């Protein structure tokens, strides 16, 4: 479990894989409850580390991984009046690249406690859904896995429409 938690944290810090892959693996290995718990702990740890790496390193590190245009847009989103709501929405839906957002938040003026709280709460549904999918894969319940994929896809579409509506 400790190795898995560290892998989940490292996945966020280095963002080479989508987090859902490790979360599904957690559900497959440990079941829904413990897979979610371990993914949750690893996500909080990784998000906190990424945030503070950016806080220490500053903008040059971020600009290695993201275009100037996208960087400016995300930074403006965080600094906007509805920045905290936007941040919550960006972390809420599974499938979006949240790890880089942790770095961008680290160079924004957002309070670390507020950021970690918002990102943590918003990740909970996705973590549970991914862990449940992994658990169902382990139990060879492919119908449930298909339903979860359809629900996740619909949520991603709704989320995208919300972002377009909010002009983010």
């Amino acid at each position: 479990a400790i190795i898995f938690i560290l892998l989940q944290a490292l996945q966020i810090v280095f963002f080479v894989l989508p987090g859902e892959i490790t979360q599904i693996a957690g559900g497959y290995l440990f079941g829904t409850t413990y897979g979610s718990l371990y993914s949750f702990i690893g996500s909080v740890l990784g998000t906190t580390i990424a945030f503070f790496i950016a806080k220490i390193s500053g903008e040059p590190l971020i600009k290695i991984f993201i275009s100037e245009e996208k960087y400016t847009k995300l930074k403006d989103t965080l600094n906007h009046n509805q920045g905290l709501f936007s941040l919550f929405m960006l972390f809420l839906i599974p499938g979006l690249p949240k790890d880089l957002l942790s770095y961008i938040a680290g160079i924004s003026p957002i309070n670390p406690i507020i950021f970690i709280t918002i990102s943590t709460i918003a990740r909970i549904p996705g973590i549970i859904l991914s862990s449940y999918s992994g658990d169902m894969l382990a139990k060879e319940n492919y119908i449930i896995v298909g339903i979860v994929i359809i629900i996740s896809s619909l949520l991603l579409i709704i989320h995208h429409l919300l972002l377009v509506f909010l002009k983010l």
Side-chain angles (χ1 to χ4, degrees):
I2 292 171
I3 291 170
F4 176 79
I5 289 168
L6 292 175
L7 286 173
Q8 179 68 42
L10 289 173
Q11 175 278 319
I12 291 171
V13 172
F14 294 107
F15 57 92
V16 292
L17 291 172
E20 289 77 16
I21 291 174
T22 51
Q23 294 162 9
I24 289 169
Y28 189 90
L29 294 171
F30 303 109
T32 303
T33 302
Y34 288 107
S36 296
L37 177 64
Y38 301 152
S39 289
F40 178 78
I41 293 168
S43 293
V44 172
L45 180 63
T47 298
T48 303
I49 292 169
F51 181 91
F52 284 106
I53 286 173
K55 189 66 79 185
I56 293 166
S57 301
E59 284 185 21
L61 175 69
I62 307 307
K63 291 183 177 180
I64 292 171
F65 300 104
I66 191 170
S67 71
E68 182 70 34
E69 179 184 336
K70 188 163 256 329
Y71 167 77
T72 302
K73 187 174 184 177
L74 286 169
K75 190 174 176 189
D76 289 347
T77 297
L78 289 178
N79 292 328
H80 189 267
N81 288 340
Q82 295 180 353
L84 295 179
F85 174 74
S86 299
L87 183 69
F88 181 82
M89 292 303 295
L90 289 168
F91 272 90
L92 182 63
I93 302 298
L96 296 180
K98 301 174 232 348
D99 306 331
L100 188 57
L101 190 57
S102 297
Y103 284 94
I104 293 170
I107 58 172
S108 76
I110 191 169
N111 178 295
I113 302 287
I114 292 172
F115 168 72
I116 292 164
T117 301
I118 288 172
S119 64
T120 298
I121 291 169
R123 282 184 194 245
I124 291 172
I127 288 173
I128 293 171
L129 196 61
S130 295
S131 295
Y132 180 68
S133 296
D135 191 12
M136 291 300 101
L137 276 175
K139 294 175 179 168
E140 298 180 3
N141 193 338
Y142 303 118
I143 292 172
I144 295 295
V145 173
I147 291 169
V148 168
I149 289 170
I150 290 169
I151 290 170
S152 295
S153 298
L154 290 172
L155 289 173
L156 190 58
I157 291 167
I158 290 167
H159 183 263
H160 178 72
L161 292 173
L162 277 172
L163 291 178
V164 168
F165 177 73
L166 295 172
K167 298 179 183 173
L168 300 177

